[in-house]
């Protein structure tokens, strides 16, 4: 690797992803859940993302929030070139991209500059050098506004503790394999499997690792290379991260993983009393991590965000709005949590979903449902929190409805690139200031509707089948390709009917198309 990479995997691109926890609307709701108000709701207009990877998520967030200025920094020219290509093709005017190191950005930042409302660091902290970490803190100290928030996600202790020797083994193996990083990853996986089969004591003492290796074998090699092969690999205790950002005058506010802010839904019952009684916020999070064997944290730190009083909190909550991201028929009330799946009361959650199926509803309208006559605000907030946590509902940005054209231009670019053989799995959804996950088949059908102007399931299916033939791909069912032409067309037609009846109407409401 060249010197500029500082030991970071730079010979292959990072995976294309979008992370809804990083967008302003989600962070505003997460802050509201813990009694804080995100400064951006009061007119803030600038987001800085440090280390945006290939930039898909960053560009989607900007396209879905055209009233906010987005500044992105990444030191990998391949990443910046890809992101800039999307920006220029979609003619997005609210994005500034820069190829630079964090150290360069920190040196150029001015004392008291305080020009950004939100700083986003997704998965970066784990893999950058100590010097880069210090630069990140310096950037936050100089540029984050009072009342602003910083989002940082990272691999955490104690959940990653058993994996440390395995990562080091993969890194050392990669140094001895003269190949591209994705091929080094394959070599490392082969070595791990061999050692497991040979009865290596490390794997016998940590039996969960065999299942981890099996799961890794099915993941994208580029993603795994960036996850496991970097020379810098820091697995943080929360206390260390809190101390780090304390030097920038930032204090812990809560988790962007919404369910983790509710002890009753995220901690073993026996540990709740001890953790609930702890007054020191840093030690409380340390106890939470031990109780849940935390592997990944999505922390929100704030620069002086004042807690809301109970009346202020109620007033603020009542002004929030929410919209579904899936059809009502697809909604379910089984919610993942650190302590296992939770089953929601169908009468309560069904009432919320019935309301949201008709419109983007305010929290006040949700609380007014008869289902919350007994539980009131707290029960309604928990219900909405779990629906957002599960990805079936998203918070809607405050203020007037955003302009949808920038997001729709980006979505057309994504569809056009899919028609040229490139695969993206997300589209911009401006009505909720976020993005929605899509399957390859969804993009094929969207192309049939928007580019080929097909309106019936049969017409959509014919267009999709022609596109797939041109791209040399096949329709899959239960993980196997359908080789018979008639059976393939019938399967596509059936899926097209579902797409037209369920997905497309939701996407239209969200401003995707």
């Amino acid at each position: 690797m060249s010197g500029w990479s500082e030991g970071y995997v730079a010979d292959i691109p990072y995976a294309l992803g979008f992370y809804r926890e990083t967008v302003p609307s989600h962070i505003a709701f997460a802050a509201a859940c813990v009694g804080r108000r995100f400064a951006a709701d009061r007119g803030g207009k600038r987001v800085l993302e440090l280390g945006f990877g290939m930039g898909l998520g960053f560009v989607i967030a900007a396209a879905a929030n055209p009233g906010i200025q987005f500044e992105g920094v990444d030191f990998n020219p391949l990443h910046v070139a890809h992101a800039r290509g999307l920006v220029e093709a979609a003619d997005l005017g609210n994005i500034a991209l820069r190829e630079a190191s964090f150290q360069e950005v920190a040196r150029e930042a001015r004392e008291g500059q305080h020009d950004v409302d939100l700083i986003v660091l997704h998965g970066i902290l784990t893999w950058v050098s100590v010097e880069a970490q210090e630069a990140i803190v310096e950037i936050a100290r100089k540029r984050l506004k009072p009342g602003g928030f910083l989002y940082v996600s990272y691999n955490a202790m104690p959940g990653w503790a058993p994996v440390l020797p395995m990562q080091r083994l993969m890194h050392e193996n990669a140094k001895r394999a003269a190949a591209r990083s994705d091929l080094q990853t394959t070599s490392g996986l082969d070595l791990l499997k061999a050692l497991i089969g040979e009865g290596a004591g490390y794997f016998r003492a940590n039996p969960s690792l065999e299942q981890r290796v099996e799961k890794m074998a099915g993941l994208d090699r580029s993603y795994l290379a960036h996850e496991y092969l970097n020379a810098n690999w820091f697995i943080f205790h929360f206390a260390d991260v809190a101390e780090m950002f304390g030097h920038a005058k930032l204090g812990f506010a809560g988790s962007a993983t919404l369910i983790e802010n509710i002890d009753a839904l995220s901690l073993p019952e026996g540990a709740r009393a001890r953790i609930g009684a702890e007054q020191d916020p840093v030690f409380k999070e340390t106890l939470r991590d031990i109780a849940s064997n935390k592997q990944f944290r999505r922390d929100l730190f704030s620069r002086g965000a004042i807690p809301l009083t109970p009346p202020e909190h109620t007033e603020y909550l009542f002004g929030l709005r929410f919209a579904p991201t899936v059809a009502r028929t697809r909604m379910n009330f089984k919610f993942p949590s650190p302590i296992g799946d939770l089953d929601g009361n169908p009468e309560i959650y069904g009432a919320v979903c019935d309301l949201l199926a008709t419109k983007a509803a305010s929290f006040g309208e949700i609380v007014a449902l008869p289902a919350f006559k007994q539980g009131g605000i707290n029960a309604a907030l928990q219900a909405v929190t779990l629906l957002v946590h599960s990805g079936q509902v998203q918070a809607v940005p405050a203020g007037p409805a955003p302009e949808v054209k920038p997001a729709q231009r980006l979505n057309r670019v994504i569809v056009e690139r899919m028609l040229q053989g490139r695969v993206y799995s997300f589209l911009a959804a401006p009505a909720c200031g976020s993005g929605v996950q899509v399957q390859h088949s969804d993009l094929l059908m969207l192309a049939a509707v928007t580019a080929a102007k097909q309106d019936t399931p049969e017409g959509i299916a014919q267009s999709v089948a022609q596109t797939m033939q041109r791209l040399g791909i096949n329709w899959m069912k239960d993980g196997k390709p359908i080789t018979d032409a008639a059976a393939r067309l019938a399967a596509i037609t059936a899926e097209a009917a579902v797409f037209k009846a369920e997905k497309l109407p939701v996407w239209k409401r969200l401003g995707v198309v």
Side-chain angles (χ1 to χ4, degrees):
M1 296 180 184
S2 56
W4 63 264
S5 69
E6 297 183 14
Y8 190 84
V9 170
D11 61 332
I12 56 174
Y14 191 64
L16 289 162
F18 168 80
Y19 309 96
R20 59 191 174 89
E21 294 88 357
T22 66
V23 302
S25 58
H26 182 93
I27 289 171
F29 179 55
C33 287
V34 295
R36 301 288 198 280
R37 180 166 184 165
F38 181 32
D41 272 1
R42 299 195 294 269
K45 295 295 182 182
R46 193 170 191 89
V47 173
L48 168 63
E49 181 159 354
L50 298 173
F52 54 72
M54 289 292 281
L56 178 64
F58 173 73
V59 174
I60 284 177
N65 294 274
I68 298 176
Q69 292 297 313
F70 284 76
E71 177 185 353
V73 177
D74 199 288
F75 79 156
N76 190 328
L78 177 62
H79 293 170
V80 177
H82 178 267
R84 181 165 288 129
L86 290 174
V87 171
E88 293 176 352
D91 191 23
L92 302 178
N94 62 327
I95 294 180
L97 295 171
R98 183 179 177 191
E99 178 197 323
S101 70
F102 301 153
Q103 292 91 319
E104 290 175 288
V105 177
R107 283 194 296 269
E108 295 172 7
R110 306 186 307 274
E111 291 290 342
Q113 186 171 348
H114 297 164
D115 62 333
V116 297
D117 302 280
L118 171 64
I119 295 177
V120 172
L121 295 150
H122 177 73
I124 290 298
L125 207 62
T126 295
W127 301 309
V128 298
S129 66
V130 171
E131 293 76 15
Q133 293 170 15
E134 292 171 348
I136 288 169
V137 173
E138 191 72 353
I139 293 166
R141 185 180 70 82
K142 292 178 178 177
R143 296 196 58 185
L144 188 63
K145 289 181 182 178
F149 276 72
L150 179 144
Y151 165 97
V152 56
S153 60
Y154 53 94
N155 293 337
M157 290 289 193
W160 272 84
V163 189
L164 288 170
M166 190 176 83
Q167 184 275 335
R168 181 58 181 267
L169 178 64
M170 291 188 69
H171 177 65
E172 291 296 329
N173 179 74
K175 291 195 307 186
R176 292 158 176 82
R180 207 172 55 222
S181 294
D182 51 344
L183 301 178
Q184 292 173 341
T185 302
T186 299
S187 173
L189 287 172
D190 291 342
L191 176 60
L192 296 177
K193 293 175 185 176
L195 289 169
I196 291 171
E198 293 161 5
Y202 164 60
F203 292 100
R204 290 204 311 271
N206 298 276
S208 64
L209 292 179
E210 183 173 355
Q211 184 177 1
R212 178 184 285 268
V213 171
E214 290 177 0
K215 183 178 179 181
M216 288 167 60
L219 297 177
D220 178 77
R221 294 298 186 265
S222 295
Y223 162 77
L224 291 174
H226 285 267
E227 181 75 54
Y228 287 94
L229 299 189
N230 292 302
N232 298 298
W233 209 70
F234 296 92
I235 307 301
F236 290 98
H237 293 277
F238 169 77
D240 295 331
V241 176
E243 181 180 6
M244 180 186 301
F245 287 110
H247 293 298
K249 301 182 181 180
L250 305 185
F252 179 68
S255 176
T257 305
L258 301 176
I259 199 169
E260 293 178 0
N261 297 312
I262 307 174
D263 287 353
L265 303 182
S266 61
L267 296 175
E269 185 175 1
R272 293 171 195 163
R274 177 189 300 278
I275 294 172
E278 179 56 51
Q279 297 300 307
D280 184 307
V282 173
F283 194 54
K284 175 174 281 193
E285 289 305 303
T286 300
L287 292 172
R288 280 194 176 117
D289 289 352
I290 294 293
S292 60
N293 193 34
K294 189 68 61 62
Q295 293 191 43
F296 192 74
R297 291 188 62 99
R298 298 181 181 91
D299 291 341
L300 295 177
F301 288 88
S302 67
R303 189 186 186 104
I306 301 172
L308 298 170
T309 67
E312 289 172 338
H313 192 207
T314 298
E315 180 181 5
Y316 182 42
L317 287 173
F318 270 54
L320 299 177
R321 293 187 303 136
F322 303 89
T325 57
V326 296
R328 175 66 181 90
T329 54
R330 296 287 176 173
M331 290 183 173
N332 71 84
F333 313 137
K334 187 176 287 292
F335 306 105
S337 88
I339 56 176
D341 287 344
L342 307 174
D343 292 312
N345 185 326
E347 294 184 7
I348 292 176
Y349 288 89
V352 176
C353 293
D354 288 344
L355 173 63
L356 294 178
T358 63
K359 62 177 181 177
S362 72
F363 183 71
E365 292 174 301
I366 293 171
V367 172
L369 291 170
F372 296 111
K373 186 176 182 180
Q374 298 296 324
I377 293 175
N378 290 337
L381 182 57
Q382 179 170 299
V384 172
T385 297
L386 287 178
L387 287 168
V388 175
H389 169 68
S390 67
Q392 300 176 93
V393 170
Q394 291 201 29
V396 175
E403 171 61 57
V404 300
K405 290 183 179 178
Q408 292 178 355
R409 288 199 300 270
L410 176 63
N411 292 339
R412 285 196 294 271
V413 170
I414 290 173
V415 170
E416 288 165 2
R417 292 195 173 191
M418 180 274 304
L419 294 175
Q420 298 301 318
R422 296 189 179 275
V423 179
Y424 296 88
S425 299
F426 301 91
L427 294 170
C432 56
S434 188
V436 292
Q437 188 167 9
V438 297
Q439 299 173 353
H440 194 189
S441 58
D442 294 331
L443 293 179
L444 290 166
M445 292 185 188
L446 185 57
V449 172
T450 58
K453 306 300 182 184
Q454 296 296 329
D455 187 55
T456 66
E458 293 76 14
I460 293 172
Q462 288 284 357
S463 178
V464 168
Q466 292 170 6
T467 301
M468 294 180 75
Q469 183 178 15
R470 179 175 60 81
L471 294 175
I473 57 178
N474 209 335
W475 193 265
M476 307 292 287
K477 183 176 182 181
D478 300 326
K480 298 179 180 179
I482 302 177
T483 56
D484 179 77
R488 181 168 57 244
L489 187 60
I492 299 174
T493 302
E495 189 64 29
V498 174
F499 174 83
K500 189 172 184 296
E502 296 184 351
K503 292 184 179 180
L504 195 57
V506 172
W507 289 2
K508 287 181 177 179
R509 287 176 55 188
L510 293 177
V512 175
V513 292

